[in-house]
Amino acid sequence: MAPKAKRELNLSEFPPGTITEYTTLVCLACIFDIFTKQLGLAPRTAFSEVKRHTPTIAELTSRGATRPYFDSEEKNPHCPYCGKAVRWVARFDTYCIEGGKTTDGPRRALLKKLPKTDDQFLVMGKKSDSRAVFFEWLDTLGHSLELDDESWLLEATRKYLERREPKTKWDDVFAELRSVRRSSRITEGWERDGGRLFLAPGLYSEALLIQYLVSRSHAHGGMTLEGRLTLMELIRRLRYSGYLDQIGITAREPGEVFEKLIDHLAATHEWSSVSTGSRSDRVTISKQKAAKKKSAKKPAKSRKGKTTQPEPEAVITEPVKLHYLVDRREFLEKVRSVYASYAS
Ligand SMILES: [Zn+2]
């Protein structure tokens, strides 16, 4: 990919963390080979078919690409299947925009500005949910961090805060920051003191969770600002710090607690918590007051059967619409130049 060929879209109107970018490379020799040899098309027909071609969303966004697609970090990538040089390698750039209150306006404005001819840009929609979106976000975050260098802990924290509170200028807040700590003074939000950023206990707990999720491996747990923790250790900390109570998780079994934590994290973001319809679409966490009331009462045997149990936490995954914008400009140019001989 020549630097001059990269025509950036202006995405500055979108809140951070609402767009995921993917690049998929395709070998034009391989794809032409597939159309002529496997599908039996004549070269001319194959050329016009290739020109119309757009990979599926799965092909554009998966990390395990198969022929004729591939991923490469090289500046001048070669086809891993047939060895053809960069001249034969074309690129699709895909932008996955999370639908919602904060992105609908900028998305419509962006689409209006794009060229309409020759399908230079394609838009595809997909229904998803807050949980899937959250895992995709985590996966992208994990790939963008250098886990060997401990500064990633601060970077992961910043990305989470950006996702959670997109209107704050986190770049400024994190400028020359040395550490992130749990605050014992504030119960909500954050405050900066010198080189340190203090997070309210709830936020701090969530930062730990994100760090755990990004770095976890099955055998060794995950890295956090509080060192390497197994899932059990992490849950214990969250319980003792009062975080589980705070968000209304009463489950005891670690697997169940973990699932509820994921649902909670996935659902607490502005674009997914926007009310789009009935209240049942939204996150509802029952208050745990009933349980406290019960324990404060005298243990009267005759009442035992009537004791009201707290309602189970109902955390419902929220629907999210994903908008995939595929930039085919570079692909179209390459196809034209490489297949010039067939078209003439
Ligand atoms: Zn190839």
Side-chain angles (χ1 to χ4, degrees):
M1 128 180 51
K4 65 172 166 53
K6 176 92 178 161
R7 287 151 301 189
E8 297 279 355
L9 298 181
N10 181 1
L11 305 173
S12 59
E13 298 301 310
F14 292 88
T18 56
I19 298 188
T20 309
E21 296 186 36
Y22 303 89
T23 296
T24 304
L25 300 174
V26 57
C27 171
L28 297 176
C30 282
I31 197 172
F32 194 73
D33 192 57
I34 290 171
F35 275 92
T36 54
K37 295 208 176 111
Q38 291 182 22
L39 303 177
L41 300 180
R44 285 265 200 120
T45 323
F47 165 67
S48 56
E49 285 302 314
V50 168
K51 216 165 57 168
R52 272 201 287 271
H53 175 75
T54 300
T56 62
I57 291 175
E59 286 164 338
L60 287 166
T61 58
S62 85
R63 295 192 199 278
T66 53
R67 186 172 182 254
Y69 312 108
F70 62 100
D71 299 321
S72 172
E73 299 292 324
E74 286 172 58
K75 211 168 176 195
N76 294 306
H78 283 63
C79 170
Y81 312 108
C82 72
K84 278 277 197 293
V86 65
R87 193 170 74 84
W88 290 83
V89 175
R91 196 178 81 233
F92 292 99
D93 288 318
T94 307
Y95 303 86
C96 174
I97 306 167
E98 294 179 21
K101 185 174 74 170
T102 60
T103 57
D104 285 348
R107 193 187 78 248
R108 288 191 196 104
L110 173 67
L111 295 187
K112 234 179 246 172
K113 275 187 259 168
L114 299 178
K116 302 285 183 290
T117 55
D118 292 340
D119 287 337
Q120 293 177 69
F121 286 91
L122 284 184
V123 181
M124 297 186 264
K126 189 175 116 182
K127 280 184 186 158
S128 187
D129 59 60
S130 50
R131 204 182 159 97
V133 167
F134 176 64
F135 275 113
E136 187 63 28
W137 175 82
L138 268 182
D139 191 44
T140 305
L141 174 61
H143 279 83
S144 75
L145 297 170
E146 293 285 346
L147 296 183
D148 298 333
D149 176 353
E150 284 212 351
S151 64
W152 77 264
L153 289 162
L154 297 191
E155 183 61 11
T157 306
R158 184 168 75 94
K159 294 285 189 201
Y160 178 63
L161 293 169
E162 277 179 1
R163 178 173 168 85
R164 200 191 153 97
E165 215 181 288
K167 294 206 173 88
T168 303
K169 297 226 175 305
W170 292 107
D171 281 346
D172 298 347
V173 176
F174 273 74
E176 290 173 48
L177 189 74
R178 289 197 313 275
S179 64
V180 173
R181 308 264 177 96
R182 180 200 307 271
S183 174
S184 53
R185 280 168 22 99
I186 51 174
T187 54
E188 262 178 42
W190 52 273
E191 63 182 357
R192 173 106 190 231
D193 180 9
R196 295 172 302 177
L197 176 67
F198 289 90
L199 300 179
L203 263 189
Y204 182 80
S205 295
E206 285 168 5
L208 294 186
L209 259 168
I210 296 295
Q211 292 155 6
Y212 171 86
L213 288 168
V214 163
S215 63
R216 71 180 157 158
S217 63
H218 292 292
H220 306 295
M223 264 319 278
T224 71
L225 284 169
E226 307 208 336
R228 187 169 282 286
L229 301 176
T230 63
L231 180 59
M232 293 291 279
E233 290 164 340
L234 177 67
I235 288 175
R236 207 174 299 139
R237 262 164 216 254
L238 298 180
R239 194 182 302 285
Y240 289 146
S241 74
Y243 177 70
L244 297 186
D245 279 346
Q246 190 191 332
I247 62 170
I249 294 180
T250 53
R252 304 299 301 182
E253 200 272 309
E256 201 184 333
V257 172
F258 187 64
E259 290 303 305
K260 288 183 190 301
L261 284 168
I262 297 287
D263 278 337
H264 179 77
L265 281 181
T268 46
H269 310 298
E270 204 179 336
W271 53 86
S272 54
S273 59
V274 174
S275 179
T276 49
S278 68
R279 217 179 120 52
S280 62
D281 287 347
R282 308 192 56 198
V283 189
T284 47
I285 297 165
S286 68
K287 295 266 187 303
Q288 298 307 309
K289 278 179 186 152
K292 278 186 188 135
K293 225 175 174 178
K294 188 186 84 180
S295 59
K297 286 218 164 163
K298 281 181 195 168
K301 267 182 189 166
S302 60
R303 293 184 131 242
K304 207 177 175 186
K306 284 186 182 174
T307 309
T308 328
Q309 290 297 316
E311 285 173 39
E313 305 89 5
V315 177
I316 299 158
T317 312
E318 302 163 12
V320 177
K321 177 94 188 268
L322 299 178
H323 305 267
Y324 291 87
L325 175 63
V326 186
D327 184 347
R328 301 175 78 247
R329 290 176 297 178
E330 206 259 0
F331 172 75
L332 285 173
E333 279 169 18
K334 278 277 173 74
V335 168
R336 285 195 193 100
S337 74
V338 163
Y339 296 151
S341 54
Y342 292 106
S344 59

